Amino acid sequence: MNVELLTLSEVEEFSGNEGNFSVRIKKNPRYVDMDKCIACGLCMQKCPRKVDDEFNMGVGKRKAAYIKYGQSVPLKYAIDAEHCIYLTRGKCRACEKFCPTGAINFEDREKHLSIDVGAVILAPGFHPFDPSGFDFYGYGRITDVVTSLEYERMLSASGPCMGHLIRPSDHTEPKKIAWLQCVGSRSTNRCKNGYCSSVCCMYAIKQAVVTAEHLNEGIPQQTIFFMDIRSHGKDFERYYETAAAKGIRFVRARPHTILAGKNNMGVTMQYTAEDGRMHCEDFDLAVLSIGLEAPEDGPVLAAKFGIELNSYGFAQTTDFEPVRSTRPGIFVTGAFQAPKDIPQAVTEASTAACEAARALMPARGALTHEKTYPAEQDVTSQEPVIGVFVCSCGINIASVVDVDAVAQYARTLPHVGFVENNLFTCSADTQSLIAEKIREHHLNRVVIAACTPRTHEPLFQDTLREAGLNGFLVEMANIRNHNAWVHQALPEAATQKAKDQVRMAVARVAQNDPLRQLKVDVVQKALVIGGGVAGMNAALALADQGFDCVLLEKSDRLGGNARRLAATDRGQKVAPMLTRLIERTESHARIKVLKKAVLRSAVGSVGNFVSKIEVDGDTRAVTYGTAVVATGAAEYQPREYLYGQDERIMTHLQFDDQLAQNEAAVGRARSSVFIQCVGSREPQRPYCSRLCCTHSVKNALRLKTLNPEMNVYILYRDIRTYGEREDLYKSARDLGVIFIRYGLDSQPVVSRKGDDLFVEVFDPVAQLPLKLYADYLVLAAAVVPHDHQALVELFKCGVNADGFLNEAHPKLRPVDMSVDGLFVAGLCHYPKPMDESIAQARAAASRAGLILAKEEMQLDAIKSYVTENCDGCALCVDVCPYRAIKLEQEKIDGRSHIVTDPALCKGCGLCAATCPKEGVYVHGFTLPQLKAQVEALLAEATA
Amino acid sequence: MPEDFEPVIIGFLCNWCAYAGGDLAGVSRLQYPPNMRAVRVMCSGMVHPDIVVHALQKGADGALVMG
Amino acid sequence: MIEIRVGKLARMLGVHRNTVSNWIKSGKFSARPTVGRRYLIERADFIHFCRNQGISEDITAQFANSGGFAKPRAHAAYPVARDTDRHTEKGGGMTDGPIGSVMVVGGGIAGMQATLDLADSGYKVFLVEKSAGIGGAMAQLDKTFPTNDCAM
């Protein structure tokens, strides 16, 4: 309602300053009237023009009258002017003839709109790398070489192969498939993409894993050719390990040539293994793991909006302001900012929303609307009078189902007071007609026999509310998606099924009661737990949006781990930023900082939490509506590699301290050795700590700059300098830092001989054991989570197998926790560098701000409730996944009973299904309601 | 069993997956036999065993819980 | 600032829609178009115009209360700038405060998430997408790592 979706639109002109921009937008013609289109698809069926389908990456065809994909939003067809026969050659108009609603409008012209906005968020995405320019991969020439995005569409159940994998050349199932990593990434010879695209390792593993599900016969052989596997995200390493355990072959090599197989079927590939031996192998299909490039129109956008791009064409940002462009009021997010995976893109989208909200804080609510409805009439004492509206949906339903017969039949059903057949029940004029009929015939229940409630129920609920009825007194019978469309050849059976569906809906709606959406008052204050960079950023972002915050810090000073860091990955100095951050946090009028503070208790739910907090020995109570958890993490204290027995052996943070205090002395060293993955990617801690590779590379670079003569060795398992951090890795190699790979089964050995420190390791490229002298040995120690036990018990939130706090959903809700009203940011969620911590903290503030922006919160109406049958057997208490049920110990009428917390309940009904005596129901889905539906069906059903 | 026997199957479909899948089958025009009648539920976990037994007692030939 | 729809205003004032359109075209009624066949007009201009046309104060007030106005929502936590304060100088270089709307360019997963966050926290959002539908690249993916969830 407060979103204006402008499709087929481009920004033409842009001017103004932060807070007040003027934009001119060109809206290209769709040639389909969005108000009239009902997405029946007839125009597409009748359109004679076939075009390569760009959504399916050119695998398969679409028509010139099209929707992008089945679940497209808006679900409205469009005509592609470039290919439409009428628009290019002046003849045809077939779609216009067949469109049942007259929605086709060839008179449509491009429109120009002017809008004023206070801020802009640019999220134009990425451009998939086009490998046609690389002759050695043969893409475009060899039929069985496809890109990963094409492969993705080949796998998709809604794709051109219907989810059944066949190779392009002979349409047989491929048995032996190869993935080639880093196509168009980490490459400066043939293209200019020196960065790592960050996502290809993981998507290739995913594709290899799911391939087996898309084949009918035989077990496929999947091989991934890679340079470094970069599974640095949360739960990614485990995914990689599982894939390897399932038999997916990982080969460390970069094949240099792909040749076509016999008759241009399959491929032949030559590659050099790590030990230097040449191999030649045949595959049925080769998938190129193409990288993410900056969008093609990036430079145009940048010029239009007056922002700067970096050397790779991505938007220029800084580590401390990760979504802020070089122009105030314009924010950049998603893959346009840097190549990134979905969780990161979703998180940083919220970050951008937070920044825009911060900039426009005084104007919050100025241009948004809330709809008002007339008072609801009380129908509880009335006999049901049901109105049935049967939709023809043009000919979508009516061409299969005899809608007149269905309408006629509906008149015979109990309680039905009015029946009508509409051409389009969802049209705007039918809405006013329904409201009219409700008043005229005193209807108090409505059945809509049309399409799916998943898309249309809100519309009809709204219509009822506008007519003064409770929105829950409508029921839909899905006689289109679940009937007419899937039984096209069986009109009689379909008509019978439609009658059954209407009968079931009528029986059920007669049982429907008005439901209330509970409202709870929101305490307009946030609690932020943890005073590190993430916690302070979250608190400031909330405070700048106008919300009060309480910030808890367990130690006696703010700053957390950042106090020990010198510079960010892009070389920005941390200390000055941290000083400013602490100053702002401590002086902000809306932030109350509590040091030496520990959370002791937490009760309540979203909107209303109460906690006891112990501050330096005193206990006080704090009420708050939402909380951001940013408790941080610690550096692993190694037990391996003689750590603690020699002062020349240090962890990263210790070495940073050393460099800060004693740079000159460190610079005099002859040889320094870094060992990666100390405590990470091992059986007892099987996750990647994400930031240590870059940390080591950065420090190695610093040593080489201090003293170019120094020998610097990095002993690694995979170098994971993802994204633009890859530039650092390349500089390090250029400056002569020596990288030696080791395996989990051939770990380095540290020894002392007299006063000298040595590291022994086997070099897999030279195939020789090496003994390295070390003045300094730096251990890239893991990031380990704090013990979250107390927090988990207080808030009933969850941790993953590694002990990091869990998000509600890794992609859809990456900063929300599974408990409503709680948000997570920083290292306590997963190891991450500072820019990502800052972004996540501000994203958490955006999400928390959504709750605080409302004075009261409306809860969903579909919730469990306790009936008088409950006798407190408590079987339901344990099954509730949301811990929304408590056993009330005190007894009423000699019985104990349960109570449900509607703020926690999600209406899943596990309790209702578990209860042996109907002691708990779910609103709208009570046993009597479901029984009424079942009985109505079985009273006279014949299939 | 007569040869022209057509079973009446009652389906309890989770709103978020199976019911949505049914919708998508419609959009994709996948054809299937018209023997099932769907009851939409918010989660297949809310289908009480009683209702399944009830359906079978009242003459349903099969019950399908999908989620 | 008042947001009007031609049809709605015509019904309120008891005139034909074309009459209202003509007023706007001729500049008699100094409204400026926004998206979705809506127009914005200063509150003072609106009242002035109604008075000149001899439209009763009742109808004017009724329109104002029917939701035709873009009202600032009072918020307990901080004072909200008055709409009149903010928009009176519009066109001549507004200086008083920011506009409460945001344009998001790109309807992929990032653009959609930013849009939803902002729309739910009290900002009007214009989501500009160059293709015919939103969804972006994620809609093309079959499944996503590391959970093998369907991308839809």
Side-chain angles (χ1 to χ4, degrees):
Chain A
M1 169 156 187
N2 291 315
V3 177
E4 191 98 34
L5 180 55
L6 303 169
T7 49
L8 294 163
S9 300
E10 295 161 43
V11 174
E12 275 186 315
E13 284 166 32
F14 183 77
S15 62
N17 295 309
E18 178 168 38
N20 185 10
F21 293 111
S22 298
V23 193
R24 209 170 125 85
I25 289 173
K26 182 173 91 177
K27 204 169 185 320
N28 290 311
R30 180 180 275 268
Y31 302 107
V32 174
D33 185 333
M34 299 248 280
D35 292 335
K36 290 185 186 160
C37 175
I38 48 147
C40 64
L42 268 177
C43 52
M44 180 175 71
Q45 272 175 32
K46 300 296 177 187
C47 178
R49 181 82 166 95
K50 281 189 179 169
V51 191
D52 280 344
D53 187 351
E54 63 280 80
F55 184 78
N56 281 331
M57 302 306 295
V59 185
K61 298 277 181 192
R62 68 160 168 85
K63 299 288 189 67
Y66 70 108
I67 45 169
K68 274 171 79 182
Y69 54 102
Q71 300 97 322
S72 190
V73 176
L75 195 57
K76 305 285 176 189
Y77 281 77
I79 291 171
D80 171 3
E82 253 177 65
H83 297 104
C84 167
I85 297 176
Y86 173 68
L87 289 170
T88 52
R89 276 178 259 160
K91 261 193 205 147
C92 180
R93 302 183 88 137
C95 48
E96 195 179 26
K97 271 180 228 117
F98 288 98
C99 177
T101 61
I104 307 284
N105 171 18
F106 281 114
E107 299 309 306
D108 203 359
R109 292 290 170 265
E110 67 179 42
K111 293 185 190 79
H112 300 271
L113 317 163
S114 293
I115 57 172
D116 292 326
V117 295
V120 174
I121 295 173
L122 298 179
F126 63 90
H127 175 248
F129 179 78
D130 176 6
S132 331
F134 287 179
D135 49 358
F136 45 92
Y137 287 137
Y139 175 74
R141 196 161 38 79
I142 307 173
T143 321
D144 288 330
V145 176
V146 298
T147 69
S148 46
L149 209 44
E150 286 166 352
Y151 191 74
E152 199 73 44
R153 295 313 298 155
M154 287 158 70
L155 289 180
S156 175
S158 59
C161 315
M162 311 284 279
H164 175 216
L165 180 64
I166 46 172
R167 67 174 178 178
S169 64
D170 58 358
H171 300 278
T172 58
E173 288 192 349
K175 287 286 162 296
K176 206 174 163 203
I177 308 171
W179 278 262
L180 279 73
Q181 296 309 106
C182 301
V183 176
S185 313
R186 300 181 69 186
S187 165
T188 48
N189 292 334
R190 296 295 292 264
C191 63
K192 296 267 174 286
N193 300 345
Y195 57 87
C196 157
S197 293
S198 304
V199 298
C200 329
C201 284
M202 288 309 293
Y203 77 58
I205 299 175
K206 173 207 73 181
Q207 290 183 341
V209 168
V210 301
T211 290
E213 296 166 15
H214 294 268
L215 296 173
N216 286 340
E217 41 201 73
I219 300 154
Q221 265 187 50
Q222 305 102 311
T223 308
I224 296 178
F225 291 95
F226 69 101
M227 299 202 287
D228 295 281
I229 285 291
R230 294 192 168 167
S231 50
H232 49 267
K234 192 173 189 177
D235 292 328
F236 289 6
E237 184 73 13
R238 221 174 237 109
Y239 192 79
Y240 167 39
E241 303 248 318
T242 315
K246 275 186 183 160
I248 290 164
R249 186 163 70 119
F250 289 87
V251 179
R252 201 177 288 269
R254 198 167 190 173
H256 49 78
T257 315
I258 300 181
L259 298 170
K262 230 180 240 166
N263 303 326
N264 201 7
M265 287 194 284
V267 298
T268 300
M269 226 187 273
Q270 281 192 351
Y271 61 91
T272 314
E274 199 178 21
D275 58 11
R277 289 203 194 114
M278 283 281 282
H279 297 262
C280 191
E281 206 173 334
D282 293 339
F283 293 92
D284 296 337
L285 182 69
V287 182
L288 305 180
S289 294
I290 51 171
L292 276 49
E293 284 188 319
E296 281 178 305
D297 56 355
V300 180
L301 274 180
K304 207 172 273 167
F305 288 96
I307 61 164
E308 281 165 34
L309 304 179
N310 68 16
S311 58
Y312 294 126
F314 296 105
Q316 183 73 50
T317 57
T318 68
D319 284 334
F320 300 139
E321 296 293 343
V323 300
R324 204 163 278 215
S325 77
T326 50
R327 179 168 176 182
I330 301 182
F331 305 100
V332 290
T333 191
F336 182 43
Q337 189 256 354
K340 54 173 69 82
D341 59 16
I342 294 166
Q344 195 66 24
V346 174
T347 302
E348 289 177 14
S350 289
T351 315
C354 168
E355 300 290 6
R358 253 168 136 167
L360 307 181
M361 188 274 269
R364 181 195 294 274
L367 297 177
T368 50
H369 303 261
E370 275 169 54
K371 208 167 174 178
T372 50
Y373 296 95
E376 257 175 47
Q377 52 162 305
D378 181 20
V379 299
T380 42
S381 54
Q382 300 170 4
E383 271 294 294
V385 186
I386 302 170
V388 180
F389 296 85
V390 182
C391 182
S392 296
C393 197
I395 58 162
N396 277 289
I397 295 172
S399 66
V400 179
V401 172
D402 183 346
V403 283
D404 287 333
V406 174
Q408 205 57 47
Y409 172 76
R411 289 194 178 89
T412 66
L413 293 170
H415 301 302
V416 171
F418 178 80
V419 179
E420 192 175 61
N421 167 228
N422 320 102
L423 189 58
F424 295 107
T425 309
C426 61
S427 68
D429 52 327
T430 311
Q431 299 319 298
S432 29
L433 184 113
I434 293 173
E436 212 173 280
K437 297 297 174 193
I438 287 173
R439 279 186 285 266
E440 192 183 322
H441 296 271
H442 304 288
L443 305 177
N444 55 24
R445 305 279 194 288
V446 173
V447 166
I448 309 283
C451 53
T452 171
R454 287 176 47 84
T455 56
H456 279 70
E457 200 174 53
L459 171 76
F460 296 112
Q461 288 186 336
D462 206 57
T463 303
L464 260 70
R465 290 178 70 189
E466 279 178 4
L469 283 180
N470 184 285
F472 292 89
L473 297 174
V474 65
E475 198 60 44
M476 291 186 73
N478 189 346
I479 61 170
R480 187 179 80 172
N481 300 41
H482 284 206
N483 188 338
W485 276 353
V486 291
H487 309 310
Q488 284 170 331
L490 303 163
E492 273 171 43
T495 304
Q496 186 52 48
K497 180 170 172 178
K499 288 180 183 172
D500 290 351
Q501 285 176 305
V502 170
R503 187 172 69 246
M504 288 164 78
V506 166
R508 192 191 144 104
V509 82
Q511 301 271 342
N512 277 17
D513 288 321
L515 295 184
R516 298 266 159 262
Q517 285 175 288
L518 281 179
K519 283 180 177 172
V520 291
D521 287 339
V522 175
V523 180
Q524 308 255 309
K525 196 197 284 178
L527 179 74
V528 178
I529 307 169
V533 165
M536 284 190 284
N537 266 288
L540 277 172
L542 280 161
D544 285 349
Q545 289 184 69
F547 305 118
D548 288 326
C549 275
V550 177
L551 177 68
L552 300 192
E553 166 56 43
K554 69 178 173 198
S555 75
D556 59 355
R557 58 194 291 204
L558 297 174
N561 285 316
R563 286 205 309 264
R564 297 181 70 184
L565 296 177
T568 65
D569 293 348
R570 282 185 253 201
Q572 291 179 268
K573 294 263 173 287
V574 171
M577 178 282 295
L578 192 62
T579 313
R580 273 199 310 277
L581 186 64
I582 293 173
E583 261 171 34
R584 264 212 83 200
T585 308
E586 293 193 321
S587 63
H588 202 294
R590 294 201 180 276
I591 302 177
K592 184 168 187 181
V593 179
L594 301 176
K595 291 177 198 167
K596 294 192 201 165
V598 188
L599 193 69
R600 287 292 176 214
S601 73
V603 289
S605 51
V606 55
N608 282 288
F609 289 102
V610 186
S611 278
K612 286 214 175 79
I613 292 165
E614 198 181 302
V615 185
D616 208 4
D618 296 341
T619 304
R620 59 177 91 178
V622 173
T623 58
Y624 50 98
T626 171
V628 176
V629 183
T631 50
E635 188 180 52
Y636 169 64
Q637 292 304 303
R639 276 186 227 129
E640 45 275 81
Y641 303 125
L642 301 183
Y643 179 77
Q645 298 174 30
D646 190 306
E647 58 186 19
R648 288 167 294 183
I649 306 177
M650 298 175 237
T651 63
H652 260 310
L653 289 180
Q654 288 170 325
F655 189 60
D656 280 3
D657 292 344
Q658 189 74 17
L659 270 169
Q661 289 152 14
N662 242 334
E663 197 177 36
V666 178
R668 283 193 294 275
R670 279 183 298 147
S671 172
S672 308
V673 180
F674 293 81
I675 301 180
Q676 298 305 110
C677 299
V678 178
S680 306
R681 301 183 64 195
E682 289 180 344
Q684 74 275 19
R685 218 172 283 102
Y687 60 89
C688 164
S689 293
R690 190 172 177 107
L691 40 79
C692 359
C693 280
T694 312
H695 202 152
S696 293
V697 170
K698 259 187 330 190
N699 277 344
L701 273 171
R702 194 158 159 207
L703 294 178
K704 274 287 186 189
T705 325
L706 277 175
N707 174 7
E709 302 301 310
M710 193 192 304
N711 288 322
V712 183
Y713 304 94
I714 296 185
L715 313 186
Y716 72 101
R717 288 175 57 198
D718 290 278
I719 287 289
R720 293 182 169 172
T721 45
Y722 58 96
E724 289 159 29
R725 293 163 179 85
E726 181 73 10
D727 286 346
L728 296 172
Y729 179 32
K730 183 164 188 305
S731 312
R733 292 192 319 260
D734 291 347
L735 284 183
V737 176
I738 297 165
F739 289 84
I740 302 164
R741 196 182 70 78
Y742 72 90
L744 195 53
D745 48 1
S746 58
Q747 289 187 329
V749 178
V750 179
S751 58
R752 264 185 308 192
K753 198 171 175 191
D755 272 350
D756 292 342
L757 200 57
F758 292 98
V759 183
E760 286 165 83
V761 66
F762 183 81
D763 184 334
V765 177
Q767 292 281 311
L768 287 171
L770 302 178
K771 191 165 185 178
L772 310 170
Y773 170 80
D775 288 316
Y776 291 100
L777 173 60
V778 185
L779 304 182
V783 177
V784 290
H786 291 309
D787 182 7
H788 290 122
Q789 191 59 33
L791 206 63
V792 167
E793 274 171 21
L794 287 181
F795 284 115
K796 321 254 186 308
C797 55
V799 292
N800 75 354
D802 303 320
F804 292 103
L805 288 169
N806 261 349
E807 59 278 63
H809 187 283
K811 278 164 288 287
L812 304 178
R813 294 168 63 200
V815 292
D816 303 21
M817 292 174 71
S818 52
V819 179
D820 281 351
L822 294 191
F823 303 90
V824 62
L827 296 179
C828 59
H829 162 260
Y830 191 71
K832 54 176 71 69
M834 192 175 289
D835 54 333
E836 292 172 15
S837 274
I838 292 174
Q840 196 182 20
R842 294 178 187 177
S846 170
R847 304 289 301 164
L850 298 191
I851 293 171
L852 299 180
K854 298 175 185 78
E855 280 158 54
E856 50 182 22
M857 259 186 22
Q858 202 156 41
L859 304 176
D860 207 353
I862 298 169
K863 301 278 180 190
S864 59
Y865 66 99
V866 185
T867 73
E868 57 190 18
N869 286 344
C870 175
D871 64 359
C873 72
L875 282 176
C876 53
V877 174
D878 287 339
V879 297
C880 176
Y882 305 101
R883 306 199 197 194
I885 301 178
K886 272 206 274 306
L887 183 65
E888 199 67 55
Q889 289 300 349
E890 66 190 72
K891 303 200 169 184
I892 296 174
D893 301 338
R895 293 187 306 187
S896 58
H897 61 106
I898 57 160
V899 274
T900 64
D901 182 344
L904 292 174
C905 175
K906 300 252 199 264
C908 72
L910 292 190
C911 49
T914 307
C915 182
K917 44 224 150 197
E918 300 184 33
V920 56
Y921 281 152
V922 176
H923 281 299
F925 294 86
T926 63
L927 212 50
Q929 277 172 307
L930 297 179
K931 269 191 182 156
Q933 223 172 337
V934 170
E935 279 169 13
L937 166 68
L938 298 168
E940 46 181 298
T942 45
Chain B
M1 198 176 288
E3 259 178 37
D4 58 353
F5 169 70
E6 288 290 345
V8 176
I9 299 165
I10 189 146
F12 296 95
L13 271 53
C14 164
N15 180 58
W16 309 105
C17 49
Y19 196 90
D23 284 347
L24 194 59
V27 174
S28 317
R29 309 292 201 274
L30 300 175
Q31 305 295 307
Y32 55 82
N35 299 56
M36 191 191 74
R37 303 288 181 269
V39 175
R40 185 170 68 113
V41 290
M42 295 315 278
C43 170
S44 48
M46 70 164 46
V47 181
H48 199 289
D50 278 5
I51 189 93
V52 178
V53 173
H54 189 75
L56 296 174
Q57 278 174 342
K58 291 279 175 183
D61 299 304
L64 199 54
V65 182
M66 287 192 276
Chain C
M1 194 61 50
I2 307 173
E3 188 171 77
I4 57 166
R5 276 173 181 270
V6 171
K8 192 171 173 191
L9 184 66
R11 272 200 303 282
M12 295 295 269
L13 302 182
V15 297
H16 194 268
R17 289 170 32 175
N18 290 355
T19 312
V20 177
S21 299
N22 288 337
W23 287 344
I24 294 170
K25 268 188 212 146
S26 66
K28 235 172 158 182
F29 188 73
S30 60
R32 58 195 178 81
T34 64
V35 283
R37 278 172 262 168
R38 295 195 192 104
Y39 292 81
L40 282 175
I41 183 168
E42 300 299 337
R43 187 192 175 110
D45 288 354
F46 178 73
I47 291 170
H48 182 70
F49 178 81
C50 291
R51 208 168 282 148
N52 281 356
Q53 290 291 312
I55 293 159
S56 87
E57 299 281 339
D58 285 355
I59 292 179
T60 315
Q62 196 191 341
F63 187 77
N65 297 333
S66 72
F69 285 95
K71 270 185 265 178
R73 213 160 47 76
H75 196 289
Y78 51 84
V80 176
R82 287 246 165 90
D83 51 353
T84 43
D85 292 341
R86 252 177 309 115
H87 292 280
T88 37
E89 287 179 43
K90 189 74 199 109
M94 185 204 69
T95 50
D96 264 337
I99 300 170
S101 60
V102 179
M103 172 171 73
V104 176
V105 180
I109 180 73
M112 291 191 292
Q113 181 68 44
T115 299
L116 291 174
D117 271 19
L118 283 166
D120 286 344
S121 58
Y123 298 95
K124 167 97 190 168
V125 185
F126 299 97
L127 176 55
V128 180
E129 162 62 38
K130 67 179 171 197
S131 81
I134 57 174
M138 186 172 172
Q140 289 175 284
L141 306 182
D142 173 44
K143 299 208 173 61
T144 56
F145 58 82
T147 45
N148 289 358
D149 279 352
C150 166
M152 285 295 163

